Amino acid sequence: NAGVTQTPKFQVLKTGQSMTLQCAQDMNHEYMSWYRQDPGMGLRLIHYSVGAGITDQGEVPNGYNVSRSTTEDFPLRLLSAAPSQTSVYFCASSYGRRSYNEQFFGPGTRLTVL
Amino acid sequence: AQKVTQAQTEISVVEKEDVTLDCVYETRDTTYYLFWYKQPPSGELVFLIRRNSFDEQNEISGRYSWNFQKSTSSFNFTITASQVVDSAVYFCALSGDGGATNKLIFGTGTLLAVQP
């Protein structure tokens, strides 16, 4: 199993550009989520999905879109990048949607918006 | 509102010292789960432990131990005889929603530096 994979590892964007951060898992996990990590702020939940076709907002959803067309993939779209979106982005998945399930994190994507 | 506080931003110790990382949480849920994750310099997040709100037993795993006290809403993490490889950022996290979903609320992390 590859676990949770994220691409790209690094990305530099100009303000106003759009892009998609890819996330895939091969563990047949029901629950997937996106977090961003900023210095001094820990990780904050952007969006999450409890299954294919179901998504919901987390703590900091503005400026991001997600979709879940398959169990395996959960891409995060930046519609019009802003410098405030400079961050490290982590995708995570867990077997079930209940809060006792351990979440497995991907290696992260470091995004810089100029 | 749910919240996790890790008041210690940075801790520096010398190898073989014991060190305790503090975690205080706030929640109105009666069912919740607490987690500790390690983030080494390479950047990935490594799961260390999960504890549910009904189990206040302390846990020991090798040099690591965890002390969960509902009375003080704390879930502290102690490393005994620290090693340089323990140098990392450590995050405490809370999973709530009454157990309905797996949304994690993270603390701001504690950077532990173990000097040789």
Side-chain angles (χ1 to χ4, degrees), chain A residues 37 94 97 99-101 103, chain B residues 39 50 95 99 101-102 104:
Chain A
Q37 181 179 11
S94 64
R97 67 181 69 182
S99 54
Y100 52 75
N101 288 288
Q103 292 198 49
Chain B
Q39 186 176 43
R50 170 186 55 227
S95 184
T101 63
N102 209 353
L104 287 175

Side-chain angles (χ1 to χ4, degrees), chain B residues 23 48 108:
Chain B
C23 173
L48 294 178
T108 52

Side-chain angles (χ1 to χ4, degrees), chain A residues 42, chain B residues 5-12 19-23 36-39 77 86-92 107-113:
Chain B
T5 301
Q6 295 180 257
Q8 304 152 308
T9 305
E10 293 185 35
I11 301 175
S12 182
V19 58
T20 295
L21 309 182
D22 298 332
C23 173
W36 275 95
Y37 282 87
K38 175 182 179 180
Q39 186 176 43
F77 173 30
D86 296 326
S87 297
V89 180
Y90 291 87
F91 290 99
C92 180
T108 52
T110 297
L111 172 62
L112 174 65

Side-chain angles (χ1 to χ4, degrees), chain B residues 36-87:
Chain B
W36 275 95
Y37 282 87
K38 175 182 179 180
Q39 186 176 43
S42 52
E44 74 274 22
L45 284 155
V46 179
F47 167 82
L48 294 178
I49 190 171
R50 170 186 55 227
R51 173 66 70 212
N52 74 56
S53 53
F54 299 107
D55 182 2
E56 288 194 68
Q57 263 193 324
N58 291 336
E59 180 148 345
I60 298 174
S61 176
R63 297 184 295 106
Y64 295 172
S65 63
W66 291 269
N67 179 247
F68 176 35
Q69 292 195 338
K70 284 180 76 171
S71 60
T72 56
S73 296
S74 65
F75 186 42
N76 296 338
F77 173 30
T78 297
I79 302 175
T80 303
S82 59
Q83 300 177 0
V84 172
V85 293
D86 296 326
S87 297

